[in-house]
Amino acid sequence: MVDTDSVTGTAKELAGKVRGAVGDLIGSDRDSVEGRARQVQGTAERAYGEGKDALRETADRVADAGADARDNAGRYYARAEESVRNAADEAYHFAEDAYDDGGRYLSEGRRAIAQQVEESPLAALLIAGAVGLGIGLLINTRR
C-alpha cells in the first residue's frame, strides 16, 4: 500500500519543479527559490513515505518471527522515521536559508543600484534608454 506521504511528497516535488522553472523563466528569484524549497521538501516527504512503506512491509514480514523480531522492527522503524524527519527538516531549513539569503542579496543589489542612480542620474538615464532601445529593437525584429 502506497503511503500518503509518498503521494503528497511527489506532488509537492512536481509543484516545486514547476514553480522553480516558472521563476527561472520569468526571472523571479523569489518564485525560483520557493520552488526549489518546495521541491526539496517534496523529495524529503516522498522519501519519508517510501521509507515508511518499506519499513511497514519489513515489519509485517518479521511480525511472524516472534515478539523479539517485532520489537526490533519497531525500534528500527522509529529510528528510520526520526532520521528521515531530521533529513527533511534539514533540507527545508537549508532551502529556507537559501531563500533568505536570496532576498538579502536582492535587497543589497537594489540599494547599490539606487545609490548609483542617485550619484549619476544622467548615466542611469542613458543606460536605461539604451536598454529600452535594445529591447524595442529585439521585439521589432522578431515580428
Side-chain angles (χ1 to χ4, degrees):
M1 183 168 93
V2 176
D3 191 86
T4 58
D5 290 319
S6 296
V7 175
T8 58
T10 301
K12 285 181 182 178
E13 185 177 5
L14 180 60
K17 283 182 183 179
V18 170
R19 186 167 186 181
V22 168
D24 290 342
L25 185 65
I26 64 172
S28 171
D29 291 339
R30 179 179 180 163
D31 285 335
S32 182
V33 171
E34 284 181 1
R36 299 297 183 271
R38 174 66 61 103
Q39 182 180 352
V40 168
Q41 183 183 16
T43 301
E45 189 171 342
R46 179 179 47 81
Y48 172 70
E50 289 172 357
K52 282 176 35 179
D53 282 343
L55 287 170
R56 190 176 295 118
E57 288 175 15
T58 302
D60 289 344
R61 286 186 195 140
V62 297
D64 296 334
D68 289 340
R70 201 172 315 126
D71 291 343
N72 286 336
R75 282 194 296 275
Y76 292 133
Y77 178 84
R79 270 195 238 153
E81 183 177 19
E82 182 180 347
S83 295
V84 171
R85 282 190 190 277
N86 288 341
D89 286 344
E90 286 180 32
Y92 181 78
H93 291 304
F94 176 78
E96 193 175 47
D97 290 344
Y99 175 75
D100 291 342
D101 289 345
R104 190 176 71 248
Y105 295 142
L106 181 64
S107 179
E108 289 172 5
R110 284 182 182 155
R111 274 188 292 239
I113 290 171
Q115 182 181 359
Q116 290 296 323
V117 169
E118 282 182 22
E119 290 175 3
S120 304
L122 182 59
L125 184 61
L126 290 174
I127 291 170
V131 169
L133 179 64
I135 290 172
L137 290 173
L138 283 174
I139 291 172
N140 196 22
T141 59
R142 289 187 180 182
R143 288 186 182 180

